[in-house]
Short mmCIF file of all heavy atoms in Angstrom, two decimals:
data_model
loop_
_atom_site.label_atom_id
_atom_site.label_comp_id
_atom_site.label_asym_id
_atom_site.label_seq_id
_atom_site.Cartn_x
_atom_site.Cartn_y
_atom_site.Cartn_z
N HIS A 1 -4.58 2.18 -4.92
CA HIS A 1 -4.47 0.83 -4.35
C HIS A 1 -3.67 -0.08 -5.28
O HIS A 1 -2.78 -0.82 -4.84
CB HIS A 1 -5.87 0.27 -4.10
CG HIS A 1 -5.90 -0.97 -3.27
ND1 HIS A 1 -5.85 -2.23 -3.81
CD2 HIS A 1 -5.97 -1.15 -1.93
CE1 HIS A 1 -5.89 -3.14 -2.84
NE2 HIS A 1 -5.97 -2.50 -1.69
N ALA A 2 -3.97 -0.04 -6.57
CA ALA A 2 -3.24 -0.86 -7.54
C ALA A 2 -1.77 -0.47 -7.60
O ALA A 2 -0.89 -1.33 -7.70
CB ALA A 2 -3.88 -0.72 -8.92
N LEU A 3 -1.50 0.84 -7.53
CA LEU A 3 -0.11 1.31 -7.57
C LEU A 3 0.69 0.76 -6.40
O LEU A 3 1.81 0.26 -6.57
CB LEU A 3 -0.10 2.84 -7.56
CG LEU A 3 1.28 3.52 -7.56
CD1 LEU A 3 2.04 3.21 -8.84
CD2 LEU A 3 1.13 5.02 -7.35
N VAL A 4 0.13 0.84 -5.20
CA VAL A 4 0.83 0.33 -4.02
C VAL A 4 0.96 -1.19 -4.09
O VAL A 4 2.03 -1.74 -3.83
CB VAL A 4 0.10 0.76 -2.73
CG1 VAL A 4 0.78 0.15 -1.51
CG2 VAL A 4 0.06 2.28 -2.61
N CYS A 5 -0.11 -1.87 -4.44
CA CYS A 5 -0.08 -3.34 -4.54
C CYS A 5 1.01 -3.80 -5.51
O CYS A 5 1.83 -4.67 -5.18
CB CYS A 5 -1.43 -3.86 -5.04
SG CYS A 5 -2.58 -4.32 -3.73
N ASN A 6 0.99 -3.24 -6.69
CA ASN A 6 1.94 -3.67 -7.72
C ASN A 6 3.38 -3.43 -7.28
O ASN A 6 4.27 -4.25 -7.55
CB ASN A 6 1.66 -2.96 -9.03
CG ASN A 6 0.32 -3.35 -9.63
OD1 ASN A 6 -0.32 -4.29 -9.18
ND2 ASN A 6 -0.09 -2.62 -10.65
N THR A 7 3.60 -2.31 -6.62
CA THR A 7 4.95 -1.99 -6.14
C THR A 7 5.40 -3.02 -5.11
O THR A 7 6.52 -3.54 -5.17
CB THR A 7 4.97 -0.59 -5.53
OG1 THR A 7 4.56 0.36 -6.53
CG2 THR A 7 6.37 -0.22 -5.05
N LEU A 8 4.54 -3.33 -4.14
CA LEU A 8 4.91 -4.29 -3.11
C LEU A 8 5.08 -5.71 -3.67
O LEU A 8 5.96 -6.45 -3.22
CB LEU A 8 3.86 -4.28 -2.00
CG LEU A 8 3.77 -2.98 -1.19
CD1 LEU A 8 2.60 -3.04 -0.22
CD2 LEU A 8 5.07 -2.70 -0.45
N LEU A 9 4.26 -6.07 -4.66
CA LEU A 9 4.41 -7.39 -5.28
C LEU A 9 5.77 -7.55 -5.93
O LEU A 9 6.32 -8.66 -5.99
CB LEU A 9 3.30 -7.61 -6.30
CG LEU A 9 1.90 -7.85 -5.74
CD1 LEU A 9 0.87 -7.81 -6.87
CD2 LEU A 9 1.83 -9.19 -5.01
N ARG A 10 6.33 -6.45 -6.43
CA ARG A 10 7.67 -6.50 -7.03
C ARG A 10 8.76 -6.58 -5.97
O ARG A 10 9.94 -6.75 -6.31
CB ARG A 10 7.90 -5.26 -7.91
CG ARG A 10 7.02 -5.17 -9.12
CD ARG A 10 7.55 -4.15 -10.13
NE ARG A 10 7.63 -2.81 -9.59
CZ ARG A 10 6.63 -1.92 -9.60
NH1 ARG A 10 5.46 -2.27 -10.13
NH2 ARG A 10 6.79 -0.71 -9.11
N CYS A 11 8.38 -6.43 -4.70
CA CYS A 11 9.37 -6.33 -3.63
C CYS A 11 9.23 -7.44 -2.60
O CYS A 11 9.44 -7.24 -1.40
CB CYS A 11 9.26 -4.96 -2.95
SG CYS A 11 9.62 -3.58 -4.06
N ASN A 12 8.83 -8.62 -3.09
CA ASN A 12 8.80 -9.82 -2.26
C ASN A 12 7.71 -9.77 -1.19
O ASN A 12 7.90 -10.22 -0.06
CB ASN A 12 10.16 -10.06 -1.59
CG ASN A 12 10.33 -11.50 -1.11
OD1 ASN A 12 9.72 -12.42 -1.65
ND2 ASN A 12 11.16 -11.69 -0.11
N VAL A 13 6.55 -9.23 -1.55
CA VAL A 13 5.37 -9.23 -0.67
C VAL A 13 4.29 -10.04 -1.37
O VAL A 13 4.04 -9.85 -2.56
CB VAL A 13 4.87 -7.80 -0.39
CG1 VAL A 13 3.64 -7.83 0.52
CG2 VAL A 13 5.98 -6.96 0.23
N ASP A 14 3.63 -10.97 -0.65
CA ASP A 14 2.63 -11.78 -1.31
C ASP A 14 1.33 -10.99 -1.52
O ASP A 14 1.13 -9.93 -0.92
CB ASP A 14 2.41 -13.10 -0.56
CG ASP A 14 1.57 -12.98 0.70
OD1 ASP A 14 0.83 -11.99 0.88
OD2 ASP A 14 1.63 -13.90 1.53
N PRO A 15 0.45 -11.46 -2.41
CA PRO A 15 -0.73 -10.67 -2.77
C PRO A 15 -1.64 -10.30 -1.60
O PRO A 15 -2.13 -9.18 -1.52
CB PRO A 15 -1.46 -11.56 -3.79
CG PRO A 15 -0.37 -12.37 -4.41
CD PRO A 15 0.60 -12.64 -3.30
N ASP A 16 -1.88 -11.23 -0.68
CA ASP A 16 -2.76 -10.92 0.44
C ASP A 16 -2.18 -9.82 1.31
O ASP A 16 -2.89 -8.88 1.72
CB ASP A 16 -3.01 -12.17 1.29
CG ASP A 16 -3.90 -13.19 0.60
OD1 ASP A 16 -4.62 -12.80 -0.35
OD2 ASP A 16 -3.89 -14.36 1.01
N ASN A 17 -0.91 -9.93 1.62
CA ASN A 17 -0.28 -8.91 2.45
C ASN A 17 -0.17 -7.58 1.72
O ASN A 17 -0.37 -6.51 2.32
CB ASN A 17 1.10 -9.38 2.90
CG ASN A 17 1.03 -10.48 3.94
OD1 ASN A 17 0.00 -10.68 4.58
ND2 ASN A 17 2.11 -11.23 4.11
N ALA A 18 0.14 -7.63 0.43
CA ALA A 18 0.21 -6.39 -0.35
C ALA A 18 -1.14 -5.69 -0.35
O ALA A 18 -1.22 -4.46 -0.22
CB ALA A 18 0.66 -6.70 -1.78
N GLY A 19 -2.22 -6.47 -0.49
CA GLY A 19 -3.55 -5.87 -0.48
C GLY A 19 -3.88 -5.24 0.86
O GLY A 19 -4.47 -4.16 0.93
N SER A 20 -3.52 -5.92 1.95
CA SER A 20 -3.78 -5.38 3.28
C SER A 20 -3.02 -4.09 3.52
O SER A 20 -3.58 -3.10 4.01
CB SER A 20 -3.37 -6.42 4.34
OG SER A 20 -3.52 -5.91 5.63
N VAL A 21 -1.75 -4.07 3.15
CA VAL A 21 -0.93 -2.86 3.32
C VAL A 21 -1.45 -1.74 2.44
O VAL A 21 -1.58 -0.59 2.89
CB VAL A 21 0.55 -3.16 3.00
CG1 VAL A 21 1.37 -1.87 3.02
CG2 VAL A 21 1.12 -4.16 3.99
N ALA A 22 -1.77 -2.04 1.19
CA ALA A 22 -2.26 -1.01 0.28
C ALA A 22 -3.55 -0.38 0.79
O ALA A 22 -3.73 0.84 0.73
CB ALA A 22 -2.47 -1.61 -1.12
N THR A 23 -4.46 -1.21 1.30
CA THR A 23 -5.71 -0.68 1.84
C THR A 23 -5.43 0.28 2.99
O THR A 23 -6.02 1.36 3.06
CB THR A 23 -6.61 -1.83 2.33
OG1 THR A 23 -6.98 -2.62 1.20
CG2 THR A 23 -7.86 -1.31 3.01
N ALA A 24 -4.52 -0.09 3.89
CA ALA A 24 -4.20 0.76 5.03
C ALA A 24 -3.57 2.08 4.59
O ALA A 24 -3.95 3.16 5.09
CB ALA A 24 -3.27 0.02 5.98
N LEU A 25 -2.64 2.03 3.66
CA LEU A 25 -1.95 3.25 3.24
C LEU A 25 -2.87 4.17 2.44
O LEU A 25 -2.84 5.39 2.62
CB LEU A 25 -0.71 2.90 2.42
CG LEU A 25 0.39 2.10 3.13
CD1 LEU A 25 1.64 2.02 2.26
CD2 LEU A 25 0.74 2.71 4.48
N VAL A 26 -3.67 3.60 1.57
CA VAL A 26 -4.58 4.42 0.76
C VAL A 26 -5.66 5.05 1.65
O VAL A 26 -6.02 6.22 1.48
CB VAL A 26 -5.21 3.59 -0.37
CG1 VAL A 26 -6.31 4.36 -1.08
CG2 VAL A 26 -4.12 3.19 -1.38
N THR A 27 -6.17 4.29 2.62
CA THR A 27 -7.17 4.83 3.52
C THR A 27 -6.58 5.95 4.38
O THR A 27 -7.23 6.97 4.64
CB THR A 27 -7.76 3.74 4.42
OG1 THR A 27 -8.23 2.66 3.61
CG2 THR A 27 -8.94 4.26 5.23
N ALA A 28 -5.33 5.77 4.83
CA ALA A 28 -4.66 6.83 5.58
C ALA A 28 -4.51 8.09 4.73
O ALA A 28 -4.76 9.21 5.20
CB ALA A 28 -3.29 6.34 6.05
N GLU A 29 -4.11 7.90 3.49
CA GLU A 29 -3.97 9.04 2.57
C GLU A 29 -5.31 9.74 2.39
O GLU A 29 -5.39 10.97 2.42
CB GLU A 29 -3.42 8.55 1.23
CG GLU A 29 -2.89 9.63 0.34
CD GLU A 29 -1.53 10.16 0.76
OE1 GLU A 29 -0.61 9.36 1.04
OE2 GLU A 29 -1.39 11.41 0.81
N ALA A 30 -6.36 8.97 2.21
CA ALA A 30 -7.70 9.54 2.02
C ALA A 30 -8.15 10.32 3.24
O ALA A 30 -8.89 11.30 3.13
CB ALA A 30 -8.70 8.44 1.69
N ALA A 31 -7.71 9.89 4.42
CA ALA A 31 -8.09 10.55 5.67
C ALA A 31 -7.27 11.80 5.94
O ALA A 31 -7.47 12.46 6.96
CB ALA A 31 -7.95 9.58 6.84
N GLY A 32 -6.34 12.13 5.03
CA GLY A 32 -5.51 13.31 5.21
C GLY A 32 -4.27 13.07 6.03
O GLY A 32 -3.60 14.02 6.45
N GLN A 33 -3.90 11.79 6.24
CA GLN A 33 -2.72 11.44 7.03
C GLN A 33 -1.60 10.97 6.10
O GLN A 33 -1.22 9.80 6.09
CB GLN A 33 -3.09 10.34 8.04
CG GLN A 33 -4.13 10.76 9.05
CD GLN A 33 -3.62 11.80 10.02
OE1 GLN A 33 -2.42 11.92 10.26
NE2 GLN A 33 -4.52 12.58 10.60
N GLY A 34 -1.08 11.91 5.31
CA GLY A 34 -0.08 11.56 4.31
C GLY A 34 1.19 10.97 4.88
O GLY A 34 1.87 10.17 4.23
N GLY A 35 1.56 11.35 6.12
CA GLY A 35 2.76 10.79 6.73
C GLY A 35 2.64 9.31 7.01
O GLY A 35 3.65 8.62 7.20
N HIS A 36 1.42 8.79 7.03
CA HIS A 36 1.19 7.35 7.20
C HIS A 36 0.59 6.75 5.93
O HIS A 36 0.07 5.63 5.96
CB HIS A 36 0.25 7.10 8.37
CG HIS A 36 0.80 7.52 9.69
ND1 HIS A 36 1.84 6.86 10.31
CD2 HIS A 36 0.47 8.55 10.52
CE1 HIS A 36 2.12 7.45 11.46
NE2 HIS A 36 1.30 8.47 11.61
N GLY A 37 0.66 7.49 4.83
CA GLY A 37 0.06 7.05 3.59
C GLY A 37 1.08 6.61 2.58
O GLY A 37 2.02 5.84 2.88
N LEU A 38 0.97 7.13 1.36
CA LEU A 38 1.81 6.66 0.26
C LEU A 38 3.28 7.01 0.43
O LEU A 38 4.14 6.39 -0.20
CB LEU A 38 1.28 7.20 -1.07
CG LEU A 38 0.25 6.30 -1.78
CD1 LEU A 38 -0.99 6.10 -0.93
CD2 LEU A 38 -0.14 6.87 -3.14
N ARG A 39 3.59 7.99 1.27
CA ARG A 39 4.99 8.29 1.52
C ARG A 39 5.72 7.15 2.22
O ARG A 39 6.95 7.11 2.27
CB ARG A 39 5.14 9.57 2.36
CG ARG A 39 4.87 10.84 1.56
CD ARG A 39 5.22 12.10 2.33
NE ARG A 39 5.00 13.28 1.49
CZ ARG A 39 5.87 13.76 0.63
NH1 ARG A 39 7.04 13.15 0.48
NH2 ARG A 39 5.61 14.82 -0.10
#
């Protein structure tokens, strides 16, 4: 989650939105849906 957040914060995404996106991608990865996860 921190890795995704920090990356998005460097790319013109505000903290709230970065957190929301990171939660979705990490949860997808955890569910075994890598195509919708960190990739």
Side-chain angles (χ1 to χ4, degrees):
H1 192 269
L3 178 64
V4 176
C5 267
N6 294 350
T7 301
L8 294 174
L9 288 170
R10 295 196 299 272
C11 297
N12 200 26
V13 180
D14 77 19
D16 288 341
N17 288 342
S20 176
V21 173
T23 295
L25 297 189
V26 171
T27 307
E29 195 75 48
Q33 298 291 336
H36 296 290
L38 270 61
R39 285 189 177 276

